Amino acid sequence: GAVVSQHPSWVICKSGTSVKIECRSLDFQATTMFWYRQFPKQSLMLMATSNEGSKATYEQGVEKDKFLINHASLTLSTLTVTSAHPEDSSFYICSARRPGGELFFGEGSRLTVL
Amino acid sequence: AQTVTQSQPEMSVQEAETVTLSCTYDTSESDYYLFWYKQPPSRQMILVIRQEAYKQQNATENRFSVNFQKAAKSFSLKISDSQLGDAAMYFCAYRSAMSGNTPLVFGKGTRLSVIA
């Protein structure tokens, strides 16, 4: 079964609203999680590295005030898309590495902003 | 910065045949990991195979094998006895071994079609 779970798997929202996506590691503690964004028929682009207990590290070009990342516990990271607009519509994927082991991906969250 | 290049946007293979997907990468590091991930229509990323750069032996997982050429910075994936379920996007990925929590860097992907 999945060891990294994302919720919701899909969400539709109105322009201007905020949307929160959760990423949970189910059976291990992850001090670091990664958030990726994937546009249709394109590759995964790293948005930010989420660090437990500290601020996220954002990739160049990613607006930290737009995409709020919180890593409140060793098993949960959240990505909040604030004041979402249609251009924010995308597939968002998180990943986390089991200590000393394999990297697991969440199932992904499809965001559609109307 | 490391980059990963997949020069084949699309490939097709006849069922039961063999296909090779290409991947090259650029790095100045000597210790790293390379991966091939499969992304079916469900969009769930599935690890196909991984290779540690310090290992000379090519990794193999059942019908999947790689041809790792460190000097050439090449990491191709060979799928033998292709099955309909192999149809998916395949991403080559690189990860630095400098620390335990470096992110994956992905190529642009190759869409593989399997013809019955």
Side-chain angles (χ1 to χ4, degrees):
Chain A
V3 295
V4 175
S5 178
Q6 263 185 260
H7 178 80
S9 56
W10 60 270
V11 57
I12 301 173
C13 70
K14 292 183 179 180
S15 185
T17 60
S18 295
V19 175
K20 180 185 285 187
I21 300 170
E22 295 185 346
C23 178
R24 294 181 183 273
S25 56
L26 299 180
D27 63 353
F28 64 94
Q29 294 182 332
T31 55
T32 303
M33 293 183 177
F34 304 100
W35 286 96
Y36 291 86
R37 183 175 182 176
Q38 186 180 29
F39 289 108
K41 298 185 179 181
Q42 294 191 23
S43 187
L44 283 75
M45 300 301 297
L46 181 67
M47 298 177 66
T49 301
S50 172
N51 304 299
E52 189 270 336
S54 64
K55 292 182 179 180
T57 304
Y58 290 82
E59 293 300 298
Q60 191 174 7
V62 178
E63 301 175 58
K64 61 180 69 175
D65 295 329
K66 175 74 169 176
F67 300 99
L68 300 179
I69 292 174
N70 183 277
H71 198 143
S73 76
L74 288 171
T75 59
L76 173 64
S77 176
T78 60
L79 166 66
T80 302
V81 183
T82 62
S83 186
H85 287 93
E87 58 266 29
D88 298 324
S89 299
S90 190
F91 193 67
Y92 294 89
I93 307 175
C94 74
S95 68
R97 182 170 295 108
R98 190 195 300 270
E102 187 180 344
L103 182 75
F104 294 93
F105 284 87
E107 307 96 324
S109 300
R110 181 179 299 283
L111 170 64
T112 301
V113 184
L114 303 176
Chain B
Q2 295 84 19
T3 58
V4 178
T5 301
Q6 292 178 250
S7 59
Q8 307 154 316
E10 296 182 353
M11 292 282 285
S12 62
V13 61
Q14 205 77 30
E15 194 175 7
E17 296 298 311
T18 296
V19 65
T20 298
L21 308 184
S22 301
C23 173
T24 58
Y25 58 95
D26 189 25
T27 184
S28 58
E29 298 176 336
S30 60
D31 197 12
Y32 49 87
Y33 303 95
L34 296 166
F35 306 83
W36 278 98
Y37 280 90
K38 171 184 178 181
Q39 189 181 43
S42 68
R43 307 295 288 274
Q44 174 73 58
M45 296 292 284
I46 301 168
L47 176 65
V48 174
I49 199 165
R50 63 175 279 167
Q51 174 83 41
E52 290 88 347
Y54 64 85
K55 289 186 177 179
Q56 291 187 335
Q57 186 173 8
N58 290 325
T60 299
E61 285 289 339
N62 301 313
R63 298 183 294 109
F64 300 88
S65 61
V66 298
N67 183 3
F68 174 47
Q69 301 290 327
K70 191 171 184 179
K73 296 179 181 175
S74 171
F75 184 62
S76 61
L77 174 69
K78 185 171 80 171
I79 306 174
S80 304
D81 186 25
S82 297
Q83 300 175 359
L84 294 177
D86 294 334
M89 279 292 289
Y90 285 82
F91 292 100
C92 179
Y94 171 103
R95 181 171 80 82
S96 171
M98 286 184 64
S99 75
N101 284 308
T102 49
L104 290 170
V105 177
F106 289 92
K108 291 189 174 182
T110 297
R111 181 171 299 281
L112 177 67
S113 301
V114 181
I115 304 166

